[in-house]
C-alpha cells in the first residue's frame, strides 16, 4: 500500500531481509535545484529493523515549448 502525501510517499508492506527497490514518480512543478532527503524505512513492530539511504540532489529544467 502506498499513501501519497503532499511532501512524501509512505509505503506499507511486508519485506524480508533481502534487498528491495521501491520506485515512484515525482511531478515537477517548478524549475531549479532541489535537495532530496534521505529515504528512511522502519518496521512497525520490531524497532531494531530499519534502513536509511543517502539523500541527494536533483535539477529540474524548464521544458522547451
Amino acid at each position: 500500500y502506498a499513501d501519497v502525501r503532499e511532501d512524501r510517499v509512505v509505503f506499507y508492506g511486508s519485506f524480508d531481509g533481502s534487498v528491495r527497490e521501491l520506485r515512484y514518480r515525482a511531478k515537477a512543478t517548478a524549475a531549479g535545484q532541489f535537495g532530496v532527503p534521505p529515504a528512511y524505512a522502519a518496521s512497525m513492530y520490531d524497532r531494531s529493523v530499519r534502513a536509511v539511504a543517502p539523500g541527494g540532489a536533483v535539477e529540474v529544467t524548464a521544458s522547451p515549448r
Side-chain angles (χ1 to χ4, degrees):
Y1 174 77
D3 180 8
V4 180
R5 300 181 182 188
E6 182 71 24
D7 60 342
R8 64 184 167 268
V9 178
V10 181
F11 293 101
Y12 298 91
S14 297
F15 301 95
D16 56 22
S18 60
V19 174
R20 297 285 186 235
E21 181 176 303
L22 297 173
R23 293 181 180 217
Y24 62 93
R25 289 184 180 202
K27 180 179 179 180
T29 58
Q33 294 183 347
F34 302 93
V36 178
Y40 174 78
S43 170
M44 291 178 66
Y45 303 110
D46 183 355
R47 299 308 280 170
S48 68
V49 177
R50 60 184 180 269
V52 179
V58 64
E59 182 175 357
V60 178
T61 57
S63 61
R65 293 187 178 211

